[in-house]
Amino acid sequence: MDICIDLLLKFKDGLKSLNNKYLLEYVDYCIEKVKRDKLEVAFVGEVSTGKSTLINALLGKDLLPIGIGPTTLKLAYIKKDNIDTVTVHYKDDSIKVFKVKKDIIEKISKDENVEDFEISLKDFPFERIAFVDTIGVGDIENMEQITYTYLPLADAIVLVVDVAKLLTSQQKELLETAEAYKSKIFIVFNKMDMVLDEYTNLEALKEEISADTKQILTIYK
């Protein structure tokens, strides 16, 4: 592992003369991926599709901040460890460790000085898997480029679609951007409970979702 990291660091030094911010960030992500040594499952989608809510449900706890509008403004890694901590990586390369509390996580997520952060949990259900809560596509600060840059590094991508909105222009753009990684994309239609009252029966909703899925398959044919 140390040899791989050393090679990547040397590669990064050689790229600095190109002055390509995104390429350098990509190498940084590669270095972090080697360090983590876990399969990373990225939860991706438009703003307010319920990515964080879905992760909270899978974890069985109210951990990540949720709400209307952008709530995830930094990449958040959630993984298993021997102690519950939040490790914050700042843009000035400093690192701080905090207790796992929802209000602290919410504050960190909105801190402009934060690069990304890791949440370590003793009761995380998977030993060799980490969840990654990504920045929503189409947020007001136009930060989705961070998500797009991260996509090649994810081992699996869970595309969360709000069933009430189905395929918006933002979702289609995300699908088209992620087309190169289609073999590792899994689609989750979320917020089903919020639209059931709008349909006379469940079959009508299933038909609409089926039609939407066909559009996705058309993009990925």
Side-chain angles (χ1 to χ4, degrees), residues 14 31 34 38 46 57 62 67 72 77 84 90 110 122 145 163 198 210 214:
I31 293 171
V34 173
K38 291 181 182 290
E46 196 175 1
D62 188 20
T72 303
Y77 301 84
D84 291 347
Y90 290 90
K110 296 178 180 179
K122 291 185 292 185
Q145 185 59 48
V163 75
E198 299 176 14
S210 177
K214 288 178 181 177

Side-chain angles (χ1 to χ4, degrees), residues 47-50 53 65-73 106 110 140 165 191 194:
V47 170
S48 296
T49 52
T53 302
I66 59 175
I68 299 173
T71 55
T72 303
L73 301 178
E106 186 169 1
K110 296 178 180 179
I140 56 174
K165 298 179 182 178
K191 300 186 179 182
M194 299 179 68

Side-chain angles (χ1 to χ4, degrees), residues 171-210:
Q171 290 279 25
K172 288 179 181 177
E173 181 181 345
L174 174 57
L175 282 167
E176 290 166 358
T177 302
E179 197 271 341
Y181 323 114
K182 60 186 178 183
S183 62
K184 59 183 180 181
I185 291 179
F186 301 84
I187 300 169
V188 173
F189 290 96
N190 202 20
K191 300 186 179 182
M192 188 81 72
D193 56 316
M194 299 179 68
V195 299
L196 286 177
D197 292 341
E198 299 176 14
Y199 291 84
T200 54
N201 57 67
L202 191 58
E203 289 303 316
L205 178 57
K206 287 181 179 179
E207 287 178 9
E208 191 161 345
I209 292 174
S210 177

Side-chain angles (χ1 to χ4, degrees), residues 66-221:
I66 59 175
I68 299 173
T71 55
T72 303
L73 301 178
K74 312 292 176 187
L75 286 182
Y77 301 84
I78 306 104
K79 62 185 181 68
K80 188 176 184 66
D81 212 330
N82 296 324
I83 187 171
D84 291 347
T85 57
V86 181
T87 304
V88 184
H89 302 96
Y90 290 90
K91 293 179 180 178
D92 63 0
D93 292 330
S94 63
I95 298 174
K96 291 184 180 179
V97 179
F98 300 88
K99 293 181 179 180
V100 176
K101 291 184 178 180
K102 186 176 179 180
D103 58 336
I104 292 176
I105 293 172
E106 186 169 1
K107 184 177 179 180
I108 290 168
S109 182
K110 296 178 180 179
D111 189 338
E112 294 181 356
N113 298 310
V114 171
E115 187 70 36
D116 57 42
F117 61 97
E118 294 180 2
I119 303 172
S120 300
L121 301 171
K122 291 185 292 185
D123 60 353
F124 187 79
F126 307 104
E127 187 73 37
R128 300 287 296 167
I129 293 176
F131 289 167
V132 183
D133 192 12
T134 65
I135 299 167
V137 172
D139 68 62
I140 56 174
E141 298 182 26
N142 197 31
M143 295 173 63
E144 66 263 22
Q145 185 59 48
I146 296 174
T147 295
Y148 288 140
T149 302
Y150 172 73
L151 289 181
L153 298 173
D155 297 290
I157 299 170
V158 176
L159 176 62
V160 182
V161 177
D162 185 343
V163 75
K165 298 179 182 178
L166 294 178
L167 275 187
T168 64
S169 58
Q170 290 285 358
Q171 290 279 25
K172 288 179 181 177
E173 181 181 345
L174 174 57
L175 282 167
E176 290 166 358
T177 302
E179 197 271 341
Y181 323 114
K182 60 186 178 183
S183 62
K184 59 183 180 181
I185 291 179
F186 301 84
I187 300 169
V188 173
F189 290 96
N190 202 20
K191 300 186 179 182
M192 188 81 72
D193 56 316
M194 299 179 68
V195 299
L196 286 177
D197 292 341
E198 299 176 14
Y199 291 84
T200 54
N201 57 67
L202 191 58
E203 289 303 316
L205 178 57
K206 287 181 179 179
E207 287 178 9
E208 191 161 345
I209 292 174
S210 177
D212 220 46
T213 305
K214 288 178 181 177
Q215 288 190 55
I216 294 172
L217 294 177
T218 299
I219 294 173
Y220 284 168
K221 66 180 179 179

